[in-house]
Amino acid sequence: VQLQASGGGLVQAGGSLRLSCAASGRSFANEGWFRHAPGREREFVSVISRGGYRMFYADSVKGRFTVSRDDAKNTMYLQMNNLKPEDTAVYYCAAGPPTAWTSPDKYAYWGQGTLVTVSS
């Protein structure tokens, strides 16, 4: 099983990016996004259940980020709008069972990360 994250890049504050996470081999009950900025701990960003029936966001991104998934393509997306410099981080996608939600410890598989840099 492999997760491949893509879509990161350099964007100005107020801009948008869309991240993708493609899973090979199978689909998962829950898929999430986390981020890790230099000097900070890894941070939960969002999570979505299979079929998109349940979603949850960190307060810091609520109203600006939208998570979605296409189970037919085994791909999850993170649409990031109104980006801020504090959103700068390496973004990781993760996949796991129904118990995987905001805690990274519950996720069984992780992608390699994609760098998002937001300039002021």
Side-chain angles (χ1 to χ4, degrees), residues 3-16:
L3 300 178
Q4 182 72 37
S6 61
L10 174 63
V11 64
Q12 288 188 330
S16 299

Side-chain angles (χ1 to χ4, degrees), residues 1-2 23-27 74:
V1 175
Q2 286 188 328
S24 65
R26 55 171 290 188
S27 66
N74 287 343

Side-chain angles (χ1 to χ4, degrees), residues 26-31 48-51 69 95-99:
R26 55 171 290 188
S27 66
F28 298 89
N30 288 349
E31 296 183 357
I48 185 168
S49 65
R50 182 180 283 124
R69 61 189 285 176
T99 54

